[in-house]
Amino acid sequence: MQRYKVTIAYDGTKFAGFQRQPDQRTVESVLTTAVNKMAKTLDGTIKVYGSGRTDAGVHAMGQVVHFDLPFNIPAEGVRRGLNSMFPLDLVAIEVETVDAEFHSRFTNVGKQYRYKISRKDFIDPFKRFYTYNFKFNLDLALIKAAMPDLIGMHDFSSFVASGNQSKDFVREIFDVQLEEHPELDEIHFIFRGKGFLYNQVRIMTAVLLEIGSGRRPVHDILRLYEVKDRLQAPLTAPAHGLYLEKVFYE
Amino acid sequence: MQRYKVTIAYDGTKFAGFQRQPDQRTVESVLTTAVNKMAKTLDGTIKVYGSGRTDAGVHAMGQVVHFDLPFNIPAEGVRRGLNSMFPLDLVAIEVETVDAEFHSRFTNVGKQYRYKISRKDFIDPFKRFYTYNFKFNLDLALIKAAMPDLIGMHDFSSFVASGNQSKDFVREIFDVQLEEHPELDEIHFIFRGKGFLYNQVRIMTAVLLEIGSGRRPVHDILRLYEVKDRLQAPLTAPAHGLYLEKVFYE
């Protein structure tokens, strides 16, 4: 038996999210079918484990999954085998053999998400599924002043969607960055943290955009930590601007 | 009556090309419906004229069309009106009022096409509809040496698809450029010319890729002008890498 760590990218547009659901095309179900087909285990006994879920429409440039094969073949052969089975909106970028102690979800030490915002005054037809078009004025200095408020250990109760299943709302954010890409008319937010609550990145993004457009005081994030009330931060930036970019392991 | 020149962009993926066809979703039919809806001419009497056709799957960043409205409203109002009617894979980038002498097709003095080639060793899920993935080795020096052979007035009989309706195969190419975009793992070919034959840009692209990968002598284009035989240049680069980028007027 050999365990494989696989780094995948997917265009989330036509997936009903990562997690397997009855009668839905999800990343997990497409992966599971492909791996079992490649291994010729037609009963679908090989399970695929992801580092975590992504929602419908959310993309990934570096999601990590793992599975065990009953035989040992070279990593590059697994990568080619998977890619020959995958639809074109899913690709295996890298495959590595790993020890049985490796677990995509339980041994990761952090994740990096990227949120892409298009700054054109019209929705670019080529980016309509891949960026959130925000055409209103933004003062980036306000956003830069607010971003450090997100870094560190905080109670993110005001930043969690109602479907969240955990009871502990304290999460640690390592770093938040703003990237300007004038040649693309885009700005990107990059969030790195130990782990994130359901919709947390999209809610943080919406709050930063409200701050940048002057509709929320620059240090309102500190108040939101105190009030622990999602109704005070009711907006969620749309799924199609969000990318799971990296999953970190020791 | 007022004539409007409209610069549009479209994602060609879900259009059956530019030209109106029965029971097909084409750019021309979507434009015509939107313009007549905006002008409240429900009988569809306002005709929309494009600078030329693009094939199914071919994109446009700067296609130009024109039409006449029975009333005179500001260009910016027309732009907003159109964009409120358009689906998200089509957008009006710029609208200008023009004289009745202006004609998108007959008064244009040239066009610029861009062909985007992705150089990853796998098909990037985010680019599958927007670049041609060519993973084989390319010697760009060979391509650069061949490109000047395309410039000037030439008989492009070897570079025309069988559906072409014209009988004169001489066309003038003003300029051919190679752009390298290492940060995107892409190279782009840019072709500027007075006008192009059916599939000419995609056939020239395929020939340049054959030259770059050593499967065709570097100056074989000169031979292709002589033989006037499409069977000697049988490949056509796929539609989804091609963009109509600009249409030039005096």
Side-chain angles (χ1 to χ4, degrees):
Chain A
M1 201 192 76
Q2 176 62 54
R3 183 158 292 187
Y4 293 88
K5 173 192 177 191
V6 183
T7 305
I8 59 173
Y10 46 86
D11 175 344
T13 310
K14 298 209 173 148
F15 287 106
F18 185 87
Q19 193 181 31
R20 182 186 285 271
Q21 294 178 62
D23 304 320
Q24 298 267 25
R25 182 179 188 265
T26 68
V27 178
E28 189 180 352
S29 63
V30 169
L31 283 171
T32 304
T33 302
V35 171
N36 281 281
K37 207 166 155 193
M38 185 182 68
K40 299 193 168 55
T41 49
L42 299 171
D43 53 350
T45 43
I46 301 176
K47 283 210 184 321
V48 178
Y49 298 87
S51 77
R53 306 171 194 174
T54 53
D55 278 342
V58 173
H59 310 294
M61 297 188 278
Q63 167 72 292
V64 173
V65 304
H66 81 267
F67 52 79
D68 296 325
L69 292 183
F71 39 77
N72 189 336
I73 48 175
E76 182 56 19
V78 170
R79 191 178 77 90
R80 289 190 195 170
L82 288 175
N83 283 337
S84 73
M85 303 283 176
F86 284 168
L88 288 180
D89 51 355
L90 173 66
V91 70
I93 294 173
E94 192 180 18
V95 177
E96 298 159 80
T97 54
V98 288
D99 293 341
E101 285 71 44
F102 176 88
H103 190 290
S104 58
R105 182 167 166 211
F106 298 125
T107 69
N108 84 64
V109 295
K111 286 182 184 173
Q112 178 169 316
Y113 282 93
R114 179 177 294 259
Y115 198 95
K116 295 188 181 182
I117 295 155
S118 183
R119 298 289 291 138
K120 293 194 162 137
D121 72 338
F122 55 84
I123 294 176
D124 183 326
F126 302 106
K127 296 181 178 177
R128 68 197 193 281
F129 301 128
Y130 307 112
T131 63
Y132 170 39
N133 196 69
F134 189 85
K135 66 178 178 182
F136 307 104
N137 281 338
L138 279 179
D139 183 341
L140 299 186
L142 292 174
I143 294 176
K144 286 175 190 165
M147 289 192 317
D149 294 348
L150 290 169
I151 298 171
M153 300 272 285
H154 299 287
D155 184 321
F156 285 97
S157 298
S158 293
F159 297 83
V160 62
S162 54
N164 190 76
Q165 284 168 11
S166 68
K167 282 164 185 165
D168 173 16
F169 300 106
V170 174
R171 290 292 181 278
E172 182 178 6
I173 295 192
F174 304 141
D175 192 32
V176 185
Q177 286 182 43
L178 171 68
E179 273 185 13
E180 299 176 57
H181 295 276
E183 77 288 3
L184 300 171
D185 288 320
E186 291 180 15
I187 61 169
H188 298 178
F189 296 145
I190 298 124
F191 302 92
R192 281 196 302 120
K194 176 76 188 73
F196 296 90
L197 299 164
Y198 186 50
N199 278 2
Q200 183 184 344
V201 175
R202 292 163 56 190
I203 297 166
M204 292 190 299
T205 296
V207 166
L208 288 175
L209 290 174
E210 288 179 299
I211 289 170
S213 50
R215 287 178 286 156
R216 190 183 281 277
V218 59
H219 291 299
D220 203 46
I221 289 167
L222 303 177
R223 188 185 64 83
L224 290 169
Y225 293 146
E226 294 301 316
V227 295
K228 299 179 178 53
D229 177 9
R230 175 72 210 284
L231 296 177
Q232 310 250 350
L235 300 179
T236 306
H240 63 269
L242 184 60
Y243 296 73
L244 173 55
E245 190 165 29
K246 280 183 197 162
V247 185
F248 301 106
Y249 297 89
E250 299 259 277
Chain B
M1 200 193 76
Q2 175 63 54
R3 183 157 293 185
Y4 294 88
K5 173 191 177 192
V6 183
T7 305
I8 59 173
Y10 47 86
D11 175 346
T13 310
K14 298 209 173 146
F15 287 105
F18 185 87
Q19 192 181 32
R20 181 188 286 271
Q21 293 177 63
D23 303 321
Q24 298 267 24
R25 182 179 188 265
T26 68
V27 178
E28 189 180 353
S29 63
V30 169
L31 284 171
T32 305
T33 303
V35 170
N36 282 282
K37 207 167 155 190
M38 186 181 70
K40 298 193 170 56
T41 49
L42 298 172
D43 53 350
T45 45
I46 301 176
K47 284 209 185 321
V48 178
Y49 298 88
S51 76
R53 306 172 193 175
T54 54
D55 279 342
V58 173
H59 310 293
M61 298 188 277
Q63 168 73 291
V64 172
V65 303
H66 81 266
F67 52 79
D68 296 325
L69 292 184
F71 40 77
N72 189 337
I73 48 175
E76 182 58 18
V78 171
R79 193 178 75 89
R80 288 189 196 171
L82 289 174
N83 284 337
S84 73
M85 303 285 176
F86 284 168
L88 288 180
D89 50 356
L90 173 66
V91 70
I93 294 172
E94 191 179 17
V95 177
E96 298 159 80
T97 53
V98 287
D99 293 341
E101 285 72 43
F102 177 89
H103 191 289
S104 57
R105 182 168 165 209
F106 299 125
T107 69
N108 83 65
V109 296
K111 287 182 182 172
Q112 179 170 316
Y113 282 92
R114 181 177 292 260
Y115 198 95
K116 295 189 181 181
I117 295 155
S118 183
R119 299 288 292 139
K120 293 193 161 137
D121 72 338
F122 55 84
I123 295 175
D124 183 327
F126 301 106
K127 296 181 177 177
R128 67 197 193 281
F129 300 128
Y130 306 112
T131 63
Y132 171 39
N133 196 70
F134 188 85
K135 66 178 178 181
F136 308 104
N137 281 338
L138 278 180
D139 183 341
L140 298 187
L142 292 174
I143 294 176
K144 285 175 191 167
M147 288 190 319
D149 294 347
L150 290 169
I151 298 172
M153 299 272 284
H154 299 286
D155 184 320
F156 285 97
S157 298
S158 293
F159 297 83
V160 63
S162 54
N164 189 78
Q165 285 166 10
S166 67
K167 283 164 186 167
D168 173 16
F169 300 107
V170 174
R171 291 292 182 277
E172 182 178 6
I173 295 192
F174 304 141
D175 192 33
V176 185
Q177 285 181 45
L178 171 67
E179 273 185 14
E180 298 176 59
H181 295 276
E183 77 288 3
L184 300 171
D185 288 320
E186 291 179 15
I187 61 168
H188 298 178
F189 296 145
I190 297 125
F191 302 92
R192 280 196 300 120
K194 175 77 190 72
F196 296 90
L197 299 163
Y198 186 50
N199 277 1
Q200 183 184 345
V201 176
R202 291 163 57 190
I203 297 167
M204 292 189 299
T205 297
V207 166
L208 288 175
L209 290 174
E210 288 179 298
I211 289 170
S213 49
R215 287 178 286 156
R216 190 183 281 279
V218 59
H219 290 299
D220 202 45
I221 289 167
L222 303 177
R223 188 186 64 82
L224 290 169
Y225 292 145
E226 294 301 316
V227 296
K228 300 181 179 48
D229 177 8
R230 175 72 212 283
L231 296 176
Q232 309 250 350
L235 300 179
T236 307
H240 63 270
L242 184 60
Y243 296 73
L244 173 55
E245 191 165 28
K246 279 183 198 163
V247 185
F248 300 105
Y249 297 89
E250 299 258 278

